[in-house]
Amino acid sequence: MISFTSPVFNAWISALRLRTLCLATACTLLGSGVAFAVGCFDFPILILTVLTAIGLQLSANLANDLGDYQHGTDITGERVGPKRAVQSGLISVREMKTGIMIAVIFAAVSGCLLIYQAVKYLSIVQIAVFLFLGISAIIAALKYTAGNNPYGYRGWGDFFSFLFFGPVAVIGTYFLHVHVFDFHPVLPSVSMGLLTIAVLNVNNMRDIDNDRKSGKFTVPVCIGIKNAKRYHAALIIGACLCAVLYNLIYACAYWYQFAYLVVFIFLFRGLKNIIRTTDPESLDPYLKQTSILTLLFSILFSVCINPDLLI
């Protein structure tokens, strides 16, 4: 039995990277918030989308730990972040593969329950589409750094993070509540996707020296640290503009419906410090900060576009 204070238990907690669950929760909360704003909401759908997203995120985190070990990313001696579980020897490759399987099964079961909950509103084609998206999300979670030719090592991590944490998660969640496709969730989904990339970009800027040395071609490695900081600024600005544009189109009856912009004040303050820093290691606190602020944006934005919750 593993003690809660044992090194092995702490290694599992580190491998799960619980702070990243802010993103998994944020995208589904945002989709549900937009659905609530148009008068449609199903509480079981909210719970099951959150659980499915968490399962997928945990699968990705464990697969990332294993994948970086398999490709030698953690043995360059220049890694800035926490020491990886498999590389430390506290968790074996076999144990990590078992953990990944458990997380994938959890995500698959909750995903199937999600589709079952909504099946009475879905056509056969729509069910097939959601099953395809679910399977694709699992594959994307596993193939980020694990297996042969992982896409995270070829500069595609940003694109797939945007796709699955932005449009797929937000619009998909919205549809499961509302049962129709329309433009309402598009701009919020872009905001969420851009903020998700921002979190990943901080991580990749922090690890740029280690990734370059190990042959992991992330966006910062490909474009350089200065351009990566400009890229980061564009992500934050783009996310803010999309959120404001949604307000101007759908929800600007009251001034306080823009109150979520306080989150962007902190994001821009963080951006200023990120641009000024010259030490990659000093970027680590902004990884957690950006992740938490993304979750806070999701919550505040959902409240602000629903004025009945504010009055």
Side-chain angles (χ1 to χ4, degrees):
M1 183 175 179
I2 299 177
S3 168
F4 289 150
T5 59
S6 70
V8 174
F9 178 79
N10 290 332
W12 277 110
I13 294 299
S14 177
L16 290 171
R17 297 165 70 186
L18 299 181
R19 65 184 178 182
T20 63
L21 299 186
C22 290
L23 297 179
T25 305
C27 58
T28 53
L29 288 179
L30 187 59
S32 297
V34 178
F36 193 87
V38 300
C40 298
F41 183 77
D42 188 329
F43 186 72
I45 293 293
L46 169 63
I47 297 301
L48 289 171
T49 51
V50 169
L51 291 177
T52 303
I54 287 175
L56 290 169
Q57 184 65 62
L58 293 178
S59 301
N61 292 345
L62 296 179
N64 188 33
D65 192 295
L66 177 62
D68 280 346
Y69 169 78
Q70 291 174 330
H71 292 91
T73 309
D74 298 330
I75 58 175
T76 64
E78 296 186 19
R79 176 173 168 77
V80 176
K83 192 173 184 179
R84 294 299 182 87
V86 177
Q87 189 270 330
S88 69
L90 292 171
I91 298 175
S92 69
V93 170
R94 182 176 180 180
E95 289 170 336
M96 184 57 74
K97 287 182 177 179
T98 300
I100 294 170
M101 184 180 299
I102 292 171
V104 167
I105 291 173
F106 176 84
V109 169
S110 60
C112 288
L113 289 174
L114 176 60
I115 294 175
Y116 178 78
Q117 175 67 24
V119 71
K120 56 188 174 184
Y121 305 109
L122 304 179
S123 67
I124 296 298
V125 173
Q126 290 167 341
I127 292 173
V129 169
F130 274 99
L131 286 174
F132 171 77
L133 289 175
I135 294 171
S136 298
I138 290 174
I139 294 173
L142 299 179
K143 289 290 290 180
Y144 177 56
T145 60
N148 296 324
N149 196 31
Y151 65 84
Y153 280 70
R154 298 295 177 264
W156 286 95
D158 290 37
F159 171 78
F160 284 102
S161 294
F162 172 84
L163 180 65
F164 284 102
F165 283 93
V168 170
V170 177
I171 298 175
T173 299
Y174 174 87
F175 178 83
L176 290 172
H177 284 287
V178 179
H179 317 129
V180 294
F181 287 111
D182 56 43
F183 190 73
H184 277 83
V186 173
L187 288 169
S189 77
V190 174
S191 287
M192 181 55 59
L194 293 176
L195 289 176
T196 299
I197 298 177
V199 175
L200 180 60
N201 192 55
V202 175
N203 180 81
N204 290 339
M205 286 192 291
R206 181 197 66 183
D207 293 338
I208 186 170
D209 293 330
N210 181 72
D211 291 341
R212 184 185 292 114
K213 188 173 182 178
S214 62
K216 185 177 182 180
F217 296 102
T218 61
V219 169
V221 169
C222 293
I223 67 177
I225 190 65
K226 288 185 178 180
N227 286 329
K229 291 178 179 180
R230 296 188 182 103
Y231 174 54
H232 194 78
L235 294 172
I236 301 299
I237 293 170
C240 183
L241 290 177
C242 285
V244 170
L245 185 57
Y246 175 91
N247 268 101
L248 295 176
I249 296 173
Y250 297 112
C252 62
Y254 308 100
W255 65 267
Y256 49 75
Q257 289 186 281
F258 292 87
Y260 63 85
L261 289 175
V262 68
V263 172
F264 285 96
I265 293 175
F266 288 100
L267 284 170
F268 282 118
R269 287 180 61 185
L271 172 63
K272 180 178 69 173
N273 294 330
I274 288 171
I275 291 174
R276 288 178 175 178
T277 186
T278 57
D279 178 19
E281 187 172 356
S282 64
L283 293 174
D284 190 60
Y286 299 102
L287 178 59
K288 181 179 180 179
Q289 181 189 85
T290 308
S291 182
I292 292 174
L293 287 173
T294 299
L295 175 59
L296 185 58
F297 161 74
S298 174
I299 295 171
L300 289 180
F301 185 84
S302 296
V303 172
C304 287
I305 64 174
N306 289 284
D308 291 342
L309 298 176
L310 295 169
I311 298 175

